[in-house]
Amino acid sequence: MKRTWVLSAIVVCGLAVAVGAAQRDAGAGQDAGRGGGGGRGGGGAIPPTGAIQHIRDNLYKIPGAGGNTTVFIREDGVVLVDTKLANNGDAILKQVQTVTNKPVTMIINTHSHPDHNGSNDQIKAAAKPNYVQVVAHENTKKLVSAGPRPNPATIPDVTFDNTMRMGSGKDRIDLYYFGAGHTNGDAFIVFPSVRAMCIGDLMAWNMAPLIDPAAGGSVVALGETLAKAEKNIKGVDLVIEGHGNVNTWKGMGAYGEFMRALVSTAKQGLAKKQTTEQVLAELKKNPKFAVFLGTERLKDLEYGDTPEHRALINLNVAYQELRGEPVTTYFGPVQSIGPEKGSAPAPAPRGGGAGAGRGGAPAPANPAPANPPGR
């Protein structure tokens, strides 16, 4: 567990650097990709907490400043799913107050990363003397409790293993866990009355995610985890991604199919002794995967690069996982790795990022952290 909290500390330090850069360069970085916006490489400024957006009935989303914050208004109060990076609690609460005067009574954290639980403490403090209950998966509790100085506000009061139901009627919330993916504690949060679900960073920006191996994440497992969710969760139309927009159930299914194809194509590539660049070319032959392999950098993407680059990163991770190697390529320079064991690069240096593109393209002015909390 020591290795996990050391790496988590690096994540937090990297985030601090990135947030500082984002504040200095607010609004910059949208065209920081190679060649000025398209292609691979580039980092962006972290957008601030945005205006609350109505999804359906009593369900809302607050974008920016890290992960999406979902707002579910119940009879007795407000439930928040994720609380962004640190020091965004006041901004979140101000947005909530534009749609309801009910107090926040519960925080559900989809996973352990500080861009999703960073403002738990501010929101809990603002609620005093009222009590705000924190809920998360048992593995998330283990991750946030590790290390020499864990933040008490991120340690859940209530945990679950496989499934848990909270409340009834229109206030009901169902929680599910189906295995590793982005981390090994990713929760699916379902609001049956509005047929909507939060998926955390198992799906973000509708493209291949960043995997956190130090937190038990696995690209090989992720597609199967999504398949289990598709099979076992019923009555959902809308899927709120960990970052980015609200997707559909069908869109999540297409994404899961892509991630499973990515792993199966990686297995075939290893057997054929192909590089991950060659495997990427094989994936691109299937036109239905084009939406996950675009070459333009998405607007307001905080860390990382284009969908195509994210797919290459995931292929690199898949190669290392399939070969039984420690994963070192989950966020680093844009490069292909070979089929031979040990062909992957060393981990990206602390503070480095994906901007050091192929052919010596320079890193962005505000590089993403070497081990970001993932999108």
Side-chain angles (χ1 to χ4, degrees):
M1 190 62 78
K2 181 178 180 180
R3 168 181 162 79
T4 299
W5 68 252
V6 168
L7 288 174
S8 296
I10 293 173
V11 169
V12 174
C13 291
L15 272 170
V17 172
V19 172
Q23 292 171 340
R24 290 192 303 272
D25 302 317
Q30 301 309 319
D31 298 317
R34 180 195 254 186
R40 297 175 187 167
I46 297 175
T49 296
I52 195 166
Q53 301 168 2
H54 186 223
I55 297 175
R56 177 182 285 171
D57 296 339
N58 57 334
L59 188 69
Y60 299 80
K61 175 174 77 75
I62 305 173
N68 285 325
T69 296
T70 299
V71 180
F72 183 60
I73 303 174
R74 301 207 294 183
E75 187 65 31
D76 62 348
V78 175
V79 176
L80 300 180
V81 178
D82 291 338
T83 62
K84 308 188 180 299
L85 290 162
N87 302 314
N88 283 281
D90 290 344
I92 291 170
L93 292 174
K94 285 180 181 178
Q95 291 302 313
V96 171
Q97 289 161 6
T98 66
V99 296
T100 182
N101 58 7
K102 293 181 179 181
V104 173
T105 57
M106 181 184 297
I107 295 169
I108 304 174
N109 291 132
T110 57
H111 61 289
S112 58
H113 286 149
D115 60 329
H116 291 260
N117 64 21
S119 294
N120 280 21
D121 51 359
Q122 282 192 336
I123 290 169
K124 287 172 70 71
K128 290 180 179 178
N130 296 326
Y131 171 66
V132 176
Q133 186 179 60
V134 178
V135 181
H137 187 261
E138 181 62 32
N139 288 344
T140 293
K141 181 176 182 178
K142 293 174 183 176
L143 287 164
V144 298
S145 300
R149 291 184 299 276
N151 182 347
T154 67
I155 299 173
D157 307 297
V158 176
T159 63
F160 72 103
D161 290 322
N162 297 313
T163 62
M164 182 170 69
R165 176 168 296 178
M166 300 185 298
S168 60
K170 292 184 177 181
D171 288 347
R172 184 177 126 199
I173 302 173
D174 295 336
L175 289 86
Y176 299 87
Y177 176 76
F178 297 109
H182 177 61
T183 70
N184 70 350
D186 302 303
F188 295 81
I189 297 100
V190 177
F191 307 103
S193 65
V194 291
R195 301 180 64 86
M197 176 178 79
C198 293
I199 196 172
D201 283 356
L202 284 164
M203 184 179 188
W205 298 113
N206 196 34
M207 63 181 179
L210 295 178
I211 301 298
D212 185 352
S218 167
V219 70
V220 172
L222 186 142
E224 296 307 317
T225 295
L226 292 171
K228 293 173 185 175
E230 286 185 71
K231 180 180 178 180
N232 291 282
I233 296 175
K234 308 298 181 183
V236 169
D237 300 326
L238 301 178
V239 177
I240 304 166
E241 301 178 24
H243 300 253
N245 300 316
V246 178
N247 213 309
T248 63
W249 186 258
K250 183 178 179 180
M252 186 191 77
Y255 165 73
E257 181 183 1
F258 169 70
M259 292 306 299
R260 291 186 290 276
L262 184 146
V263 173
S264 64
T265 309
K267 291 178 181 177
Q268 295 166 14
L270 278 175
K272 296 176 183 177
K273 299 190 182 305
Q274 292 178 326
T275 66
T276 51
E277 186 81 25
Q278 291 172 311
V279 176
L280 180 63
E282 291 295 323
L283 269 178
K284 293 177 77 171
K285 291 179 181 179
N286 191 329
K288 68 181 177 180
F289 295 150
V291 66
F292 307 111
L293 295 168
T295 57
E296 295 296 320
R297 191 173 179 279
L298 302 182
K299 184 178 184 292
D300 285 344
L301 178 66
E302 299 108 322
Y303 300 114
D305 303 307
T306 67
E308 181 192 59
H309 175 204
R310 288 291 187 90
L312 183 60
I313 290 174
N314 276 256
L315 287 169
N316 290 344
V317 172
Y319 262 33
Q320 289 192 291
E321 283 193 47
L322 292 168
R323 293 191 299 228
E325 298 176 33
V327 174
T328 63
T329 64
Y330 52 102
F331 199 89
V334 183
Q335 56 186 294
S336 174
I337 68 174
E340 307 83 9
K341 193 168 185 177
S343 60
R350 179 171 169 180
R358 182 173 304 133
N366 53 337
N371 298 317
R375 301 317 126 198

